[in-house]
């Protein structure tokens, strides 16, 4: 809960409403309508109560039990989400399969992240069709305009707007609860659906239809993974309190209210959610719903930025330009390439599917697979971190796996109707992660062939009577031992060295944050030659000048006022001896390398003091 120690629990809870619960909080706009359509549009009491029971118990089992209770009890130095858990049980223990599961789960979130803004904004604006049919031609263009404005505003940062997110979402949940309660008063017997037997009976008696309905029911919890991923921003307690005190009751009341008016005979065409509102309140309600869906979309976009930064720090994505949009919150960042790619995909989805009903077919499959992978990681964590015995961990994991597998299987039938879209997006993201990491490993192997032991280097400079000029040179390298290639290149080209030499390796750790006293290791290996290693967590951004300034506390007496930073710039070429990467991998990695930002920019090195040394390397 970094940076929130002085913030009140109530303040954190209110902020969490605006950031964490946007996706799951706007799901009543389309979930029940989608489920009833899958059920054949037959609003008889057995169907409606069965569906409502499935929705209520899905919210209970997946969100309340799995995520709010179990998953949020497991953190990686305060951070949650599939990447944090993957780092905890995969990277630290060097398990490639577990790492692959975690990375693909993260890639899947990108896939559904593009669908969420599209379906949310469309479903809110479609309420205009209920005001008058004349609005219908304008719904699609309006959705596109709102989404384009939302993405175009991202470089400005969300600090000011973000302060209003919490109160707006609080209003949204309170209005949803009130409308739901008004609906329930028309048919109070709807509360019978609290009995899970209604849901189980419908599920097993409905045959294929009952099974397919699960794909629609799952839409009510597509935002549950966000609760876990955003845990580091607020801590588990404010999120749990907000969920149990406000969000969960509001969702239950609203779903029950929608079911009640359907039982009473309200038509199911159009948007059932908006039929809860009296005529005079319809347009204000559409406005509030649109605001809520914009906030939900903002949360997804911000989450994509955070996940991108984590993947970069862990070495699974190319270096991308990251802009800090606020000095107050570390999570307030902007990643331009991710923003514009998401915008293109999201707008394309709106134009391609045109209606929220159609988008519902593409929604859910990626998140259901992510949830399945999270359960696998949770089982490993129960055994190895919590030290539960096999019976206890297996019993909890088995229940969760059965539920996850049921939803994933039901969502599989959506593949042909649009579910392939988020899967293809996820595969593309995972492919980039794998190729980048694999290419980096190949480059490091070639670099390792050019290393020189420190003793040989010192002897060479003495034998050649290499001149030493005033000042300090800092050489950035990924190698942990010996004299790196970038220093050797510098010596070969310039035939002189600075008086003080610092060889610095910057690495990412499988934890979000590194304590200041453990950040830096430095040792003088030869007179005025220091070897330093700096470690940053995957939620931190390296600031090398600030780090160099602190080296004086570790015995480094170099002249800190006169520093030149040297960074190697690699141009990748094909290796012709048959020992390198396949040609297609080398070509893609080279393209990613060319389009990633320079290491100096990523490490915040001052451009006027930085020298890049270029070299071709065959992989």
């Amino acid at each position: 809960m970094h940076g929130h120690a002085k913030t009140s629990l109530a303040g954190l809870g209110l902020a969490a409403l605006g950031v964490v619960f946007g996706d799951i909080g706007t799901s009543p706009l389309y979930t029940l309508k989608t489920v009833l359509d899958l059920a054949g549009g037959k609003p008889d009491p057995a169907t409606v109560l069965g569906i409502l029971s499935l929705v209520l118990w899905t919210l209970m089992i997946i969100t309340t039990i799995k995520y709010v209770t179990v998953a949020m009890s497991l953190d990686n130095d305060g951070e949650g989400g599939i990447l944090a858990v993957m780092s905890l049980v995969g990277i630290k223990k060097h398990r490639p399969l577990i790492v692959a599961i975690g990375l693909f789960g993260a890639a899947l979130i990108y896939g559904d992240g593009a669908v969420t803004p599209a379906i949310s904004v469309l479903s809110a604006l479609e309420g205009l069709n209920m005001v008058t049919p004349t609005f219908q031609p304008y719904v699609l263009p309006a959705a596109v305009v709102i989404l384009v404005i939302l993405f175009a505003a991202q470089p400005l940062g969300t600090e000011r707007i973000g302060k209003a997110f919490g109160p707006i979402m609080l209003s949204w949940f309170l209005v949803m609860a009130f409308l739901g309660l008004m609906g329930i008063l028309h048919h109070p017997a709807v509360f019978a659906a609290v009995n899970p037997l209604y849901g189980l009976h419908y599920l097993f008696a409905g045959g294929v239809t009952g099974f397919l309905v699960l794909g629609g029911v799952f839409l009510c919890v597509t935002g549950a993974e966000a609760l876990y991923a955003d845990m580091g921003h607020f801590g588990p307690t404010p999120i749990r309190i907000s969920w149990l005190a406000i969000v969960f009751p509001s969702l239950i009341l609203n779903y029950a209210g929608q079911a009640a008016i359907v039982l009473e005979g309200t038509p199911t065409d159009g948007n059932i959610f908006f039929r809860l509102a009296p005529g005079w309140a319809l347009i204000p309600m559409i406005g509030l719903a649109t605001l809520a869906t914009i906030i939900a979309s903002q949360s997804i976009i911000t989450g994509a930025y955070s996940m991108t930064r984590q993947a970069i720090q862990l070495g699974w994505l190319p270096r991308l330009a990251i802009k800090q949009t606020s000095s107050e919150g570390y999570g307030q960042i902007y990643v331009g390439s991710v923003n514009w790619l998401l915008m293109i995909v999201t707008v394309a989805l709106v134009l391609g599917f045109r209606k929220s009903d159609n988008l519902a077919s593409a929604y859910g499959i990626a998140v259901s697979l992510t949830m399945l992978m999270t359960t696998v990681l949770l089982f490993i964590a129960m055994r190895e971190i919590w030290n539960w015995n096999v019976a206890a961990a297996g019993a909890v994991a088995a229940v969760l796996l059965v539920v996850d597998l049921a939803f994933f299987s039901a969502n599989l039938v959506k593949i042909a109707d649009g579910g392939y879209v988020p899967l293809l997006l996820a595969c593309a993201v995972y492919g980039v992660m794998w190729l980048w990491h694999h290419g980096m490993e190949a480059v490091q192997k070639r670099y390792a062939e050019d290393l020189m032991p420190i003793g040989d280097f010192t002897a060479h400079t003495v034998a050649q009577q290499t001149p030493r000029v005033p000042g300090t040179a800092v050489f950035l390298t990924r190698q942990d031992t010996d004299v790196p290639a970038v220093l050797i290149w510098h010596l070969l080209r310039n035939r002189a060295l600075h008086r003080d030499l610092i060889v610095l390796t910057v690495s990412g750790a499988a934890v979000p944050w590194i304590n200041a006293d453990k950040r830096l290791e430095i040792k003088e290996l030869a007179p005025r030659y220091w070897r330093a290693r700096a470690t940053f967590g995957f939620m931190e951004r390296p600031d090398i000048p600030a780090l160099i300034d602190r080296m004086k506390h570790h015995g480094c007496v170099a002249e800190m006022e006169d520093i030149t930073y040297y960074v190697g710039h690699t141009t990748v070429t094909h290796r012709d001896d048959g020992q390198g990467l396949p040609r297609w991998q080398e070509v893609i990695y080279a393209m990613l390398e060319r389009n990633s930002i320079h290491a100096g920019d990523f490490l915040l090195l001052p451009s006027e003091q930085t020298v890049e040394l270029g070299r071709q390397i065959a992989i």
Side-chain angles (χ1 to χ4, degrees), residues 535-569:
T535 307
F536 292 87
F538 60 73
M539 290 296 291
E540 299 177 295
R541 185 175 184 187
D543 185 343
I544 301 308
L547 184 81
I548 297 293
D549 188 53
R550 289 198 294 270
M551 285 187 180
K552 56 191 173 187
H553 302 300
H554 294 262
C556 179
V557 294
E559 297 178 12
M560 310 308 288
E561 311 81 26
D562 186 15
I563 293 178
T564 304
Y565 299 93
Y566 290 89
V567 181
H569 182 70

Side-chain angles (χ1 to χ4, degrees), residues 472-476 498 545 548 559-567 600 604-612:
T472 300
V474 178
F475 294 88
L476 279 298
H498 289 75
I548 297 293
E559 297 178 12
M560 310 308 288
E561 311 81 26
D562 186 15
I563 293 178
T564 304
Y565 299 93
Y566 290 89
V567 181
L604 302 182
L605 302 181
S607 57
E608 67 277 6
Q609 294 176 252
T610 302
V611 176
E612 283 194 352

Side-chain angles (χ1 to χ4, degrees), residues 211-225:
F211 173 72
L212 295 179
V213 156
L214 284 179
V217 170
F218 183 75
L219 297 178
C220 75
V221 290
T222 51
E225 188 78 28

Side-chain angles (χ1 to χ4, degrees), residues 312-326:
I312 291 171
Q313 292 292 83
L314 292 170
W316 288 96
L317 278 179
R319 296 180 302 272
L320 300 174
I322 298 175
K323 175 186 175 184
Q324 196 77 32
T325 59
S326 169

Side-chain angles (χ1 to χ4, degrees), residues 29 121-132 135 146 172 271 273-274 277 281-293:
L29 282 166
V121 173
L122 260 181
S123 60
L125 291 175
E126 283 170 353
L128 291 171
N129 295 333
M130 300 178 64
V131 179
T132 171
F135 282 133
I146 287 173
W172 168 253
N271 194 315
F273 175 87
F274 288 114
L282 191 53
I283 290 181
M285 195 64 206
I286 292 169
L288 181 58
T290 303
L291 280 175
T293 56

Side-chain angles (χ1 to χ4, degrees), residues 308 312 317-322 335 337-338 541 595-597 602:
T308 300
I312 291 171
L317 278 179
R319 296 180 302 272
L320 300 174
I322 298 175
V335 186
S337 52
V338 173
R541 185 175 184 187
N595 288 281
S596 64
I597 66 169
F602 184 74

Side-chain angles (χ1 to χ4, degrees), residues 344-567:
I344 291 168
V345 174
T346 302
V347 171
L349 286 171
V350 170
L351 295 175
F353 287 87
R354 306 187 70 83
K355 293 174 62 179
S356 62
D357 291 350
N358 300 333
L359 268 169
S361 299
Y363 201 31
I365 186 169
V367 170
S368 64
L369 186 52
T370 302
M371 289 183 175
L372 188 59
M373 293 175 170
T374 299
T375 297
V376 173
L377 297 180
L378 284 175
F379 171 72
I380 298 171
M382 289 174 200
R383 294 279 295 123
E384 298 181 356
I385 297 174
W386 292 343
N387 297 317
W388 288 14
N389 58 45
V390 176
V396 174
V399 173
L400 297 178
L401 275 174
V402 167
V403 176
D404 288 336
L405 281 169
F407 282 118
F408 176 62
S409 302
N411 275 296
L412 278 177
V413 301
K414 296 180 177 182
I415 289 180
D417 294 328
Y420 63 88
V421 174
L423 289 181
L424 286 177
L425 290 171
C427 288
V429 173
Y430 180 76
V432 169
M433 289 178 172
W434 185 85
L435 286 167
W436 175 257
H437 193 74
H438 203 49
M440 275 184 55
E441 288 181 334
V443 169
Q444 294 314 305
K445 283 183 180 178
R446 293 309 305 270
Y447 277 150
E449 296 172 6
D450 297 333
L451 297 178
M452 179 184 290
I454 181 64
D456 294 351
F457 177 79
T458 304
H460 175 79
T461 57
V462 171
Q464 297 295 319
Q465 296 184 334
T466 303
R468 304 294 284 261
V469 299
T472 300
V474 178
F475 294 88
L476 279 298
T477 177
R478 292 193 180 106
Q479 280 71 46
D480 286 323
T481 59
D482 299 323
V483 178
V486 65
L487 176 49
I488 298 170
W489 303 342
H490 169 70
L491 178 59
L492 289 174
R493 299 294 181 275
N494 295 286
R495 298 180 177 83
L497 292 172
H498 289 75
R499 182 170 58 192
D500 298 301
L501 304 176
I502 301 172
V503 176
L504 175 62
T505 299
V506 179
S507 61
V511 294
W513 312 91
I514 298 293
N515 291 333
D517 57 342
K518 296 180 180 178
R519 167 93 60 219
L520 183 66
E521 299 175 12
I522 185 167
K523 186 176 182 181
E524 190 172 9
L525 300 182
R528 308 191 83 88
Y529 179 100
W530 286 271
R531 203 12 138 146
R533 178 186 178 88
T535 307
F536 292 87
F538 60 73
M539 290 296 291
E540 299 177 295
R541 185 175 184 187
D543 185 343
I544 301 308
L547 184 81
I548 297 293
D549 188 53
R550 289 198 294 270
M551 285 187 180
K552 56 191 173 187
H553 302 300
H554 294 262
C556 179
V557 294
E559 297 178 12
M560 310 308 288
E561 311 81 26
D562 186 15
I563 293 178
T564 304
Y565 299 93
Y566 290 89
V567 181

